[in-house]
Amino acid sequence: MNLIKLNSFKSIIGAALIAAPMVGLTSCDNAIYEDLDPCVSGIQVRFVYDYNMLFANAFPSQVDCLTLFVYDDDYNYVTTLTETSDVLADEDYRMLLDIEPGDYHLLAYGGMQCPKSSFHFTSIPAEGSTLQSIGVDMNNDCIGADPGTDLHGLYYGQLDVTVPEPESTTYTTVTLPMMKDTHNIRILLQHVNGMPVNYADFDFALTGADNARFDWNNSVLATGRPFDVMPWAVGNVSAGENPDGTESTVAYAEFSTSRLAPSNGMKLVVNSHEKEEPVISIPIVNYLLMLKSERYASMPAQEYLDRESEWAVIFFLDDNNNWVQTRIIINDWVVRLNDIEA
């Protein structure tokens, strides 16, 4: 009986000695459990573009190519990842970043690697470069082009992240928010009496633009070389029938421009061939900000300009093709003017 107890005791001690070295091991310590998946060192990045007036994620439907620059906590360049395939259209898309534990700064651009890109990097990040050296310029053939260019969408985002020590076989997910740096402005001319307006009787331009260059922080850098933005599309569109059965035709001109700011001095100028003078000459950004009704009263001006990427502005002309300077419609909002700033 005592022999049996002794053997049992030895078995217990042996089992304890075998188990002892494994205390504190996780499922990632595969030195012993070689059949288990190893821990991963890195993160998976989810990209979101909800910095818009719908406050909804439009990244899958709008961003068709993606560039991610990775910098360390001293803002020194580490690596670059790109994606140009259809996987970006998947709501569940995540970019895997296999990297050592530590603190990093991520800089993301949408629209730069696409064949139709309207912008380019001023320098390509490489070993030894820093975050502050990155910049973006509009392509030369898009600056001052006549007819204008329908700019390919440009998106930007940045995020500070910490890659944890490997403790799991799954990647930690981080979300990188993005914003849009390109805008479309559609101008319409309509007669108050319903008479047709022919686009060919007018010249349209956004003058004094100087927003073709961005720094690493997405700030617009003035170059001191302003240029005119010409419409990329012009034409006529029907506004329906008048009471007498005639068709009411509206003239339109459509512009594509990069990031706008409250201090932007760009003007909308519409010249009449008949009068040989401008019928409209206004600081266009000031007028776009007039849309900021009470619904958006607490939203800062810059945020509003960044969130709203599509604008439609209707100007009303009198019988002499003069602008009726008391009312315009911006994105379906009627704005009544008391003070006209030229």
Side-chain angles (χ1 to χ4, degrees):
M1 184 69 179
N2 290 338
L3 181 60
I4 295 175
K5 287 183 177 180
L6 179 60
N7 288 340
S8 299
F9 179 73
K10 287 182 178 179
S11 299
I12 295 172
I13 293 298
L17 290 174
I18 293 174
M22 293 184 287
V23 174
L25 292 181
T26 69
S27 60
C28 301
D29 297 303
N30 61 346
I32 296 175
Y33 299 104
E34 294 181 356
D35 58 332
L36 295 180
D37 293 334
C39 277
V40 294
S41 178
I43 55 177
Q44 59 178 359
V45 185
R46 176 179 181 242
F47 299 88
V48 172
Y49 165 48
D50 59 4
Y51 200 71
N52 49 55
M53 294 307 293
L54 294 177
F55 297 83
N57 183 23
F59 181 91
S61 63
Q62 294 204 22
V63 180
D64 52 357
C65 61
L66 184 65
T67 307
L68 181 68
F69 297 124
V70 182
Y71 296 85
D72 63 20
D73 57 345
D74 292 322
Y75 289 173
N76 296 309
Y77 173 75
V78 176
T79 189
T80 300
L81 291 86
T82 60
E83 183 57 69
T84 58
S85 73
D86 293 341
V87 299
L88 294 175
D90 187 345
E91 178 69 35
D92 295 325
Y93 169 73
R94 306 289 185 268
M95 178 177 279
L96 298 183
L97 178 56
D98 293 301
I99 199 167
E100 293 298 316
D103 296 325
Y104 296 92
H105 189 81
L106 309 182
L107 199 62
Y109 290 91
M112 295 292 291
Q113 299 291 336
C114 307
K116 296 182 180 180
S117 177
S118 301
F119 297 82
H120 62 275
F121 294 113
T122 54
S123 62
I124 303 300
E127 185 177 356
S129 64
T130 63
L131 175 68
Q132 291 79 4
S133 65
I134 194 70
V136 170
D137 267 0
M138 189 182 295
N139 295 344
N140 287 334
D141 58 357
C142 297
I143 299 177
D146 188 10
T149 303
D150 182 13
L151 298 176
H152 191 77
L154 174 64
Y155 301 83
Y156 169 89
Q158 60 173 310
L159 181 69
D160 288 320
V161 299
T162 297
V163 176
E165 294 290 338
E167 296 179 352
S168 171
T169 58
T170 59
Y171 288 87
T172 300
T173 301
V174 298
T175 299
L176 195 157
M178 303 192 74
M179 60 180 289
K180 190 174 185 180
D181 280 337
T182 46
H183 306 269
N184 197 74
I185 304 175
R186 184 177 173 92
I187 304 299
L188 297 103
L189 302 182
Q190 181 175 357
H191 265 300
V192 292
N193 61 10
M195 292 176 57
V197 182
N198 189 351
Y199 78 92
D201 294 335
F202 301 89
D203 292 323
F204 305 82
L206 298 177
T207 65
D210 194 0
N211 56 351
R213 177 169 295 177
F214 298 85
D215 68 6
W216 69 272
N217 201 32
N218 206 40
S219 298
V220 175
L221 299 177
T223 63
R225 299 187 299 275
F227 57 93
D228 292 346
V229 178
M230 307 305 293
W232 63 270
V234 293
N236 293 324
V237 63
S238 175
E241 286 190 359
N242 294 313
D244 61 2
T246 60
E247 184 179 25
S248 176
T249 303
V250 176
Y252 70 85
E254 206 151 352
F255 301 89
S256 186
T257 182
S258 61
R259 192 181 186 194
L260 302 173
S263 58
N264 191 304
M266 189 165 57
K267 283 190 173 184
L268 167 66
V269 177
V270 180
N271 284 309
S272 166
H273 294 175
E274 177 186 3
K275 296 177 177 297
E276 298 184 348
E277 63 180 16
V279 294
I280 298 174
S281 179
I282 59 171
I284 185 61
V285 175
N286 291 8
Y287 278 69
L288 297 182
L289 285 172
M290 290 179 182
L291 174 57
K292 236 167 59 70
S293 68
E294 289 305 310
R295 177 180 294 180
Y296 313 113
S298 62
M299 184 181 290
Q302 185 61 66
E303 179 180 348
Y304 175 72
L305 291 173
D306 289 334
R307 283 185 178 273
E308 185 63 85
S309 62
E310 297 284 339
W311 306 88
V313 186
I314 303 177
F315 295 90
F316 295 92
L317 306 179
D318 63 18
D319 293 349
N320 297 314
N321 277 346
N322 293 315
W323 172 33
V324 181
Q325 298 183 0
T326 56
R327 186 183 66 164
I328 59 175
I329 297 178
I330 306 176
N331 285 14
D332 295 330
W333 289 80
V334 177
V335 181
R336 300 191 182 279
L337 306 176
N338 297 318
D339 184 23
I340 305 300
E341 182 181 355

